[in-house]
Amino acid sequence: MKITEGTKLGRYEIRSKIGEGGMGEVYRAFDPKIGREVAIKVLPETLTNDRERLARFEQEAQAAGSLNHPNILSVFDIDTHEDAPYLVSELLDGETLREKLDDGDVSQRIAVQYAKHIATGLAAAHEKGIIHRDLKPENIFITNDERVKILDFGLAKLTQVGSNRDVSADAPTRKIKTDPGMVMGTIGYMSPEQVRGVVVDHRSDLFSFGTILYEMLTGKAAFRGETGIETLNAILKEDPPEFAAVSGRSIPPSLESVVRHCLEKRPERRFQSAGDVAFALEALSGSSGSAATIIAPVSSRKFDRERLIWSGVCAVLLLFAAGLAFSYFRSGTPAQPVRLALQPPSTATDPSAITVSPDGSRVVFRAHNSDGRRVLWVRAFNTLEAHPLSGTEGAIAPFWSPDNRHVGYFAAGKLFRIDTEGGRPQVLCDAFEDRGGSWNGDGVILFSGNEGLYRINASGGQPTLATKLEPTEEAHRWPYFLPDDRHFVFLADASRAENHNIRLGSLDSDETKILFPAISRIVYAPPGYLLFVRQSALFAQRFDPSELKMSGDPVVVADQIADIGGNHEFDYSVSDNGILLYQVGSRISQLTWYDRTGKETERFGEPADYTQVAAFSDSHRAVVTIVDPDRRNGDIWLVDFNRGTKSRITFDPHGEFDPHLSPDGNRVVFASTRKEAGWNALFQIQVTGEAEEELFSELTIEAFPTSWSPDGKSILFNYCRNKETCTLRILSVEGERQSRPYLQTAPFHQSDGQISPDGKWVAYVSEESGRPEIYVQSFPEPGQKRQISTAGGNFPLWRRDGREIFYLSIGQKVMAVDVKTTGAFESGIPQALFQADLKPMSGYGYAAAADGQRFLVNTRTSLPGGPSLIVVLNWATDLKQ
């Protein structure tokens, strides 16, 4: 088949030939449906009868198409033309790493930068069980804007993580001559196990990665001989020449150590994951820490905006604050409290759960990285660097070990621990109630549970119940050990506000006693205080840990403490040596209309503690949840924008959240805690509030409605062990109101399904790629799924005519995607409309008008854009005085 300019391959029109190689010819082409240029790789006609080459080509398409990562070439489509298969991918402008190396030396800084991107791309592939097996400079592409892309998974071998056998034949990609004894790869970049022709795993890619990094740093190949045989022998038996002898450059020993560690002959002596390599390079480069710095003293609890802006600009103050903090840790506490603003890394977004180590030397926090994955980060106070902890995707509620080295946390329904100085996470046990843990000096971990608190050895094992619930309680949460390592305090959570209490417990008995009423996470702070939150203010009250008694009155320590999650997870932490950290945030927000450019067009009423928002089709009304400041429980309200009024619909003292409208706009379905089982019941009520609420369905675990089908016969809802691990189910509105799975339970989060206006599709969120993305599947039965978002996304919405899907990016931009729902589903490229300043943790915090030209946003009203993480040195000095 002859391909020339103007040739049509399916809907794609060839523009020009770009290049060719052993795996095919590459062309620039145009996709008229999406209106973009793409790259098309076509298997040469002379090779279409070569079954091995054909199968390798198909494997490249299947392997690359299953990946979605900014450092891996995106594959859009695969098809055939006149019996010749072709693959459609994103079109990249730039040059390969080989071309860049041939043009001259790559600086050490740029080499490390490229290496970090390659390592994170490999980590994503390896997590999917895909090994590249032909990593070399020719397969690394550097775009004109310095983005790094891994190309050509044509030699990829799909493996099954944790298996000792070759499962290629069972995997979605085809096994292509990967048996022991078969040498595959490129001479000079092959691992010793590839040279020997034995079975390889992901660590083979790490060896190839090491050869590339060596070449970037020295300008010379790591292994080279006069012949191919000599080069292969060098890979098996020799170490690369010393860096200085080859390049004449001075390479830091720590960087050289990373390269040597990758190039160990035996796989077990190398890094054990690409994520570990990325972490090691991040630690060396310090790039993530360039903005992860203490930036300025803060003189009072009320922020001086001009001072904060000025100090954020002045590097002199940055160095002053860092030096002040360092001198504090080395020489003792200052005479008076010192407040500092802490800025997270530029590569981390939405930081929360910031937790200081017992000795006050480091902090751990969770934040989204540049790939949109929420991971744990660690920062030492006497450095300007913060580093992500590899393998902690989805982590929440971190807590430190007494030795200041390990961190416990929860993710995917399990309790983990990780060594912050290096290593992979270790699973300790299942933990579906992930609301806090505490680690004592005897190696016992307490963690939250629906039946009470559980205890487990810090090395793992079978957890046992440590406390028992009272009849009025629904869970025990946020435990915190006292100095004797036997007693502990915790929050006894309940469905009614009057039944919430701070309790005292002991490892020696499952009996507990009430200390005082509160609805807050509780922390013990030396030399003798309990810290808790009321009305968004952080209080300290005297507590004698030896007598186990309270005394005196509570004193306000800080205002506007952020509530960062469900179940009263206020964001504050304290060390044993007098360091207090907290995050500022207001629960008060404003309902505001914006146009598609982000221009504010209208504000509604007075600010309040709004959470979820659902707009009527006429765009003149909405139902919202407003949280009562005293009860901390929500009620459903009807908002009328034309009249400027809001009317309360529900009046039960329990909490009501997640309202969603029926298609006719007459009813609202919502979740409530009014049943003794907790969040396991769905109710409905008329929008007018004229009739009593009706129990819609009572389920076995937590349920949160997300969408009502256009015919009014079905409700889609999140079915959750907790809000972090959900899947989607369908509830029939008619008859016995039975529910059934829409998406089967998976080891990753699936939530927030939105049924299209024609009732044929569902847009939803899935974290199967390691970060939340928006997908679409058919409805009422799922079919082939299509990914809509490209760089992370949450909270999808359909335009009323079904021609657009809106969603929120990881950075809270309102995104829009053109879609076609008639016939085969088609989607366009996501476009950013505007940056939304949503109130954190407000669920569906925005809604779209029927025509998609306006957006109702639950906009936060305090501290926009300002620093919100505060460090207080010697925080208790004022209390002592």
Side-chain angles (χ1 to χ4, degrees), residues 612-616 621-625 636-639 649 659 661 668:
Q612 296 90 350
V613 176
F616 284 68
R621 296 174 296 164
V623 287
V624 300
T625 300
I636 311 300
W637 291 69
L638 173 66
V639 172
I649 298 175
L661 288 160
V668 179

Side-chain angles (χ1 to χ4, degrees), residues 846-869:
Y846 79 116
D851 60 2
Q853 299 304 304
R854 293 195 306 154
F855 295 86
L856 179 64
V857 179
N858 185 20
T859 306
R860 59 180 175 179
T861 58
S862 64
L863 300 176
S868 61
L869 300 179

Side-chain angles (χ1 to χ4, degrees), residues 97 100 110-118 142 146 148 216:
L97 179 58
K100 191 170 283 287
I110 295 298
V112 173
Q113 177 182 319
Y114 290 167
K116 285 190 296 182
H117 290 307
I118 297 169
I142 315 298
E146 291 295 293
V148 178
M216 285 194 292

